[in-house]
Amino acid sequence: MRIEVASENALIAYLSDESNEKVSAQVNQLNTNVRKALGSTLIDTVPSYASLLVIYDALETDHFAVASTIVSAAESMSNDDDAGASIVELPVYYNTESGPDLEQLAQNANLSVDEVIEIHSGTTYPVYAIGFAPGFAYLGGLDARIAAPRLATPRQKVPKGAVAIADQQTAVYPSESPGGWNLIGLCPIDMFNPDSEPHMPVTVGDRIKFKPISREEFIALGGEL
Amino acid sequence: MSITIDNPGILAIIVDGGRFGQHHIGLTTGGPMDRDAFRIANALVGNQENAAAIEFMLGGVSFTANQAISIAVTGADCKITIDGEAKHRYKHLQVAKGNKVDIAMASSGCRGYIAISGGITVEPAFGSRTTVTREKIGGLNGAKLSAGDLISTGDSPVFKSREIDEADLPLISTEITLRVLIGYQHAQFSPASKRRFFDSEYTVSQRFDRMGCRVEGPSVAAEINGMLSEGITLGAIQVPADGQPIILLADRQTIGGYPKIGSVLSLDLNKLGQAMPGATVRFEEIDQSQAHNELHLANYRMNRLLEKLDD
């Protein structure tokens, strides 16, 4: 582990130079331990692929004290990779109607549309980070066969719930926004709901599994086309 | 108690001290771009330190008091009139029921604050009233203020007049020095690049909003090809492949994948918050102990300044 200064009231701990499920599990464990150890001097943390950003109250503590807290928290980590991870199933209506790039992506990958759906829904994706926009979860573990570069021209409007692929990443758009990812389906479950608790169906460290559903099921679950 | 916005100017939003502890769902902190001016405005009307107020950009704002209230206007240098009568910035001002407050365009500075006695009492979202328009969260329906908006405020105690001494008014400058703590991917910037960064003059570009400020000058590209996205702090200086630094501000994204050379001391972001495109920026390196010391000194000085108001 390497600790660097992030700002006047933040340190960032790097656990690895690469991202994989083992590193992600370590980041999450460190996050839990550090949050517990810092208590009321903590302002916030941001766990990501291979790092943990720790933001604290600089009028109550300092870099040196927080750095030693992070080091102790890292020493007390167990080797149990799966501590607290749960699998969250998200329904997806995969279709050319709901996923305008599905056919092109399949063609470029020399696969049929059904094969793309089978591969995408047959994988379990760890949530490596949440950020960029409210409720946006960065998922790892995409099968290399269905990886696809971003669109040359981003769309002005990607609908809320769009299930998308960019490079080796896949994600669900939590709200309508511009975007350049390849759209392959729609998920009727809110990825971010400011009015209900919890605000998101997943948290960093969870795993997501997508379950193909029909048009009728999608509508019945509140999906809109 | 309430006010009605007659003209919000270019951009006016409701801000409080910021939204903290919500990075796990991707929410940024938001909050005032000039925290000192915001804090003084609240103190002048007897509010809590982080009470919700209005942040406006470049002035041109007017509103009407629906009941008798007191206000204070701080930050950017704007002429103020109440019911046509000229008033001063950085001073506790009485506004009678039905009176109109006009804030003219700024002659210097960029962001101003209107604190209202009792504070703005819109429903908090995720523990804060701060508006982040990009997230559509906080303030009035997550949006910037519009003409006709009715803004409710808390009960205001009767208050004796308060003002800041002329000598204590923060200076607004078009030449800014930003103190920087080296950090993050600093090791990926060559010594020559770092020297260029700290020895050169940069210019605030047009790409300057509440999310970030891009400055233009000698290129300081990092020797790095792609990196894993990671958490970003207030003031972080990210350098994309074009070598032109971007200072990340109140409404920044919480995660990003550009290399960062370090972070600007928050105290200096207040000065940047008053800058306009074309302003000159220099970066000065400081270490952790200096930064820590500066924060404590600034906090002490601000507390003393605010205590003087009660004398």
Side-chain angles (χ1 to χ4, degrees):
Chain A
M1 184 176 70
R2 185 166 54 87
I3 298 176
E4 292 283 359
V5 170
S7 73
E8 67 197 27
N9 68 340
L11 292 170
I12 185 162
Y14 295 102
L15 281 85
S16 172
D17 290 328
E18 48 193 292
S19 96
N20 56 51
E21 287 204 52
K22 190 164 190 287
V23 171
S24 177
Q26 284 174 349
V27 169
N28 288 313
Q29 237 192 75
L30 184 63
N31 185 32
T32 307
N33 293 358
V34 166
R35 293 187 73 98
K36 216 180 284 170
L38 284 180
S40 65
T41 58
L42 180 81
I43 291 179
D44 212 344
T45 55
V46 182
S48 191
Y49 290 87
S51 64
L52 178 69
L53 177 69
V54 181
I55 309 163
Y56 56 85
D57 186 342
L59 295 180
E60 298 285 346
T61 183
D62 63 23
H63 278 91
F64 309 106
V66 175
S68 79
T69 302
I70 295 173
V71 170
S72 319
E75 282 165 357
S76 64
M77 290 200 298
S78 68
N79 285 319
D80 181 6
D81 286 358
D82 283 334
S86 55
I87 293 186
V88 177
E89 194 175 76
L90 293 177
V92 177
Y93 171 42
Y94 294 101
N95 191 283
T96 48
E97 174 189 30
S98 55
D101 301 319
L102 186 56
E103 214 160 327
Q104 188 65 49
L105 188 145
Q107 209 177 329
N108 294 349
N110 280 321
L111 297 165
S112 69
V113 164
D114 284 345
E115 283 169 331
V116 171
I117 296 171
E118 202 175 302
I119 293 168
H120 191 261
S121 60
T123 311
T124 309
Y125 303 97
V127 179
Y128 281 154
I130 290 170
F132 171 64
F136 193 95
Y138 291 84
L139 308 182
L142 184 75
D143 192 303
R145 287 175 293 170
I146 56 170
R150 285 172 173 77
L151 303 177
T153 311
R155 285 187 172 83
Q156 288 294 319
K157 233 191 211 182
V158 172
K160 173 184 166 184
V163 178
I165 287 174
D167 303 324
Q168 292 268 9
Q169 302 182 96
T170 185
V172 182
Y173 277 76
S175 58
E176 185 185 291
S177 67
W181 292 32
N182 300 273
L183 311 183
I184 61 166
L186 282 170
C187 171
I189 306 294
D190 281 339
M191 288 303 284
F192 179 71
N193 186 338
D195 304 319
S196 76
E197 293 269 5
H199 301 295
M200 290 185 64
V202 297
T203 184
V204 171
D206 283 348
R207 290 202 178 87
I208 289 182
K209 187 140 188 344
F210 295 111
K211 180 188 167 214
I213 55 170
S214 67
R215 191 178 202 274
E216 290 69 34
E217 287 170 300
F218 175 73
I219 304 285
L221 285 167
E224 283 172 33
L225 288 166
Chain B
M1 310 278 249
S2 66
I3 63 164
T4 300
I5 299 290
D6 299 310
N7 184 352
I10 294 168
L11 175 67
I13 59 169
I14 294 170
V15 293
D16 63 9
R19 183 172 288 109
F20 296 97
Q22 302 295 343
H23 285 341
H24 64 287
I25 49 174
L27 301 189
T28 192
T29 55
M33 293 280 278
D34 180 348
R35 195 167 282 270
D36 285 349
F38 164 80
R39 205 171 154 190
I40 293 171
N42 269 325
L44 286 167
V45 294
N47 283 349
Q48 298 280 331
E49 181 179 331
N50 291 321
I54 293 171
E55 177 183 283
F56 61 83
M57 198 172 154
L58 296 172
V61 179
S62 58
F63 62 92
T64 302
N66 299 320
Q67 289 84 25
I69 51 170
S70 30
I71 64 165
V73 182
T74 63
D77 194 353
C78 303
K79 289 205 162 33
I80 304 161
T81 59
I82 298 178
D83 204 25
E85 195 180 318
K87 300 287 178 186
H88 287 289
R89 294 184 306 149
Y90 287 92
K91 194 173 183 321
H92 173 271
L93 305 171
Q94 297 284 356
V95 188
K97 179 180 175 178
N99 272 4
K100 190 172 174 185
V101 179
D102 275 292
I103 299 169
M105 294 305 285
S107 55
S108 74
C110 179
R111 289 178 174 86
Y113 296 87
I114 306 163
I116 304 164
S117 49
I120 292 169
T121 53
V122 293
E123 196 58 36
F126 298 95
S128 162
R129 296 185 167 94
T130 279
T131 318
V132 179
T133 54
R134 175 172 59 83
E135 296 174 346
K136 301 186 181 73
I137 286 172
L140 284 179
N141 306 313
K144 63 180 187 174
L145 298 177
S146 310
D149 279 349
L150 183 76
I151 299 171
S152 57
T153 59
D155 286 334
S156 63
V158 179
F159 222 76
K160 64 173 181 177
S161 186
R162 297 177 143 190
E163 63 186 297
I164 298 282
D165 291 344
E166 198 75 27
D168 290 331
L169 288 190
L171 293 175
I172 294 173
S173 175
T174 54
E175 288 176 23
I176 303 165
T177 299
L178 301 176
R179 287 163 289 181
V180 172
L181 267 152
I182 286 286
Y184 286 112
Q185 286 75 36
H186 66 95
Q188 321 296 325
F189 292 83
S190 68
S193 243
K194 275 185 203 158
R195 173 175 281 177
R196 201 155 51 239
F197 178 69
F198 286 113
D199 284 352
S200 305
E201 216 170 73
Y202 288 84
T203 307
V204 173
S205 76
Q206 294 289 340
R207 284 171 58 189
F208 180 14
D209 59 18
R210 288 185 46 89
M211 279 184 78
C213 174
R214 184 173 185 269
V215 294
E216 287 165 352
S219 172
V220 285
E223 290 151 354
I224 187 172
N225 281 321
M227 54 169 275
L228 295 168
S229 289
E230 63 185 29
I232 297 175
T233 51
L234 177 68
I237 306 164
Q238 71 178 24
V239 186
D242 67 4
Q244 302 297 294
I246 298 169
I247 303 154
L248 296 162
L249 302 172
D251 290 1
R252 69 200 171 278
Q253 297 177 357
T254 56
I255 283 182
Y258 289 112
K260 296 173 287 298
I261 193 166
S263 288
V264 175
L265 190 69
S266 63
L267 304 170
D268 294 345
L269 296 177
N270 298 328
K271 293 183 269 176
L272 186 61
Q274 294 299 353
M276 293 285 291
T280 305
V281 170
R282 284 184 162 278
F283 297 100
E284 178 190 314
E285 186 177 355
I286 57 167
D287 66 24
Q288 297 169 47
S289 305
Q290 278 171 289
H292 194 72
N293 195 27
E294 292 294 343
L295 287 176
H296 278 265
L297 281 174
N299 188 53
Y300 171 78
R301 289 192 193 111
M302 177 60 80
N303 285 333
R304 206 178 50 173
L305 178 70
L306 300 184
E307 275 163 20
K308 261 168 53 181
L309 295 175
D310 284 328
D311 291 347

